[in-house]
Amino acid sequence: MGEGTSTMEEATTPGGTPLHSGAEAARWIDEMVAKGVLMPTRALLLSADLEDEAVALGRAGFRTLVVDEDRSALAGLKKRVKARGAECDVITADVFGVNPSFFGPVELLVDRTFFHRLEPIRRAAWADRVARMLPSGGHVAALFRVGRMPGGPPYAVSLADLKKLLSRRFHTVVLESSGSVSPGQDRTFRGLFRRL
């Protein structure tokens, strides 16, 4: 993985520190598939920034749908994913602006950038929307910035707030640190959550 250069991989914090990458997320997806934790199914990715994840899922046999409000970003993503030997479908929509059933049956939802673009006050709406998109037993796989870095976007979240946010609707399968975004400040946590 890591062959692509998605927008978030190139993005940096105000101090110039690179954010957690799609290549890291793709390696983690590959590991979860290899261990049998994730099985090929229909997956929804919440941003055109998730090129590496789309490639990893496509190569692993997942039917992948990517949603974003930016039609041109989706068109570019689709071409890059195909050039890397995978397939994905794309749909132009506002995740909060459509009925959760609009995307059809989805058993895996993947996020690395959408959650962190939301102001903290909108996180409960994100958790509710994600839960409503998935059936009981469906999964969310995401990378989270955990820490206290002021300002945003991207906005960090505390580990306690993240657990509290998801605990009402999801069982934590995996929640582990995968390194720092900024030494001494934010850390990246990989999370896999199963819908109750």
Side-chain angles (χ1 to χ4, degrees):
M1 301 301 127
E3 300 158 16
T5 54
S6 72
T7 304
M8 281 303 284
E9 285 182 80
E10 296 170 350
T12 60
T13 64
T17 305
L19 300 176
H20 51 275
S21 73
E24 175 184 346
R27 281 190 299 275
W28 184 54
I29 288 168
D30 288 341
E31 290 172 20
M32 296 277 106
V33 170
K35 292 176 182 176
V37 175
L38 292 177
M39 304 297 283
T41 186
R42 188 157 185 266
L44 177 66
L45 284 66
L46 294 184
S47 174
D49 292 333
L50 305 184
E51 177 182 336
D52 290 312
E53 294 90 327
V55 171
L57 291 166
R59 288 178 180 169
F62 287 76
R63 296 177 319 278
T64 306
L65 175 63
V66 183
V67 61
D68 199 296
E69 293 181 59
D70 186 334
R71 187 179 309 272
S72 63
L74 287 169
L77 170 77
K78 189 168 177 114
K79 287 179 187 174
R80 291 188 307 276
V81 168
K82 186 171 181 78
R84 293 176 61 190
E87 297 287 332
C88 71
D89 293 318
V90 298
I91 188 164
T92 306
D94 172 4
V95 170
F96 289 110
V98 297
N99 187 303
S101 63
F102 175 78
F103 302 107
V106 173
E107 295 176 23
L108 174 64
L109 191 137
V110 179
D111 190 9
R112 173 173 46 89
T113 61
F114 188 85
F115 177 86
H116 295 290
R117 286 192 296 248
L118 296 174
E119 292 180 6
I121 197 161
R122 296 187 68 201
R123 290 181 177 153
W126 175 91
D128 179 62
R129 177 57 50 133
V130 166
R132 291 174 51 209
M133 290 177 175
L134 293 168
S136 178
H139 289 89
V140 173
L143 291 187
F144 295 99
R145 283 180 57 139
V146 174
R148 297 183 177 173
M149 186 160 188
Y155 298 98
V157 63
S158 75
L159 193 54
D161 286 347
L162 180 62
K163 289 177 180 179
K164 181 178 177 183
L165 179 70
L166 296 171
S167 66
R168 291 186 13 228
R169 298 170 184 92
F170 294 93
H171 167 74
T172 302
V173 178
V174 174
L175 185 58
E176 61 191 11
S177 176
S178 64
S180 293
V181 174
S182 303
Q185 293 184 3
D186 295 351
R187 293 173 50 169
T188 301
F189 273 74
R190 300 182 285 209
L192 181 66
F193 307 90
R194 186 176 62 246
R195 177 77 166 94
L196 299 174

